[in-house]
Amino acid sequence: MRAEPSPWSSIAWAIVIALLLRGFVVEAFKIPSGSMIPTLQVGDHIFVNKFIYGIRVPWTNIKVGMGIRKPQRGEVIVFKFPKDQEKDFIKRIVAVEGDT
């Protein structure tokens, strides 16, 4: 006779999976300002694919892997503000490496 799993173990697994997905695969962000108008409005939500440019280990500044490809013109990216690491910037790429 097989014992039924506890509902707490199911909840624990769901939390672990959610944290792993958020930490390494995809994360949601909210547009905080009007700098992206008219394509993105203040308060819009976006999902960020963390694999494209390399994975940052959660709660650290350690980046793993070189990523799948380099950033391309027109893409929306999310990055840490250099002077205040607590803030995320959400911007569109207008120039790429080699542009003058």
Side-chain angles (χ1 to χ4, degrees):
M1 192 164 172
R2 197 173 118 197
E4 298 251 347
S6 152
W8 292 110
S9 67
S10 298
I11 292 170
W13 276 110
I15 290 171
V16 167
I17 291 169
L19 288 173
L20 288 173
L21 286 173
R22 184 185 182 276
F24 295 106
V25 180
V26 69
E27 186 172 348
F29 289 91
K30 186 175 180 180
I31 305 296
S33 69
S35 67
M36 300 291 291
I37 290 176
T39 55
L40 295 172
Q41 305 294 320
V42 175
D44 282 356
H45 293 272
I46 61 171
F47 284 105
V48 174
N49 178 349
K50 293 186 168 191
F51 283 120
I52 295 291
Y53 307 125
I55 300 169
R56 183 177 315 141
V57 177
W59 304 288
T60 70
N61 283 328
I62 300 169
K63 197 168 185 182
V64 179
M66 296 303 291
I68 296 171
R69 62 179 172 78
K70 292 186 177 210
Q72 298 175 359
R73 187 177 289 110
E75 291 180 336
V76 175
I77 61 169
V78 177
F79 58 95
K80 297 283 184 194
F81 182 54
K83 294 182 180 179
D84 183 0
Q85 294 290 311
E86 297 296 315
K87 292 183 181 180
D88 294 314
F89 267 22
I90 302 169
K91 301 293 176 190
R92 185 172 309 280
I93 298 175
V94 295
V96 293
E97 182 180 8
D99 284 356
T100 56

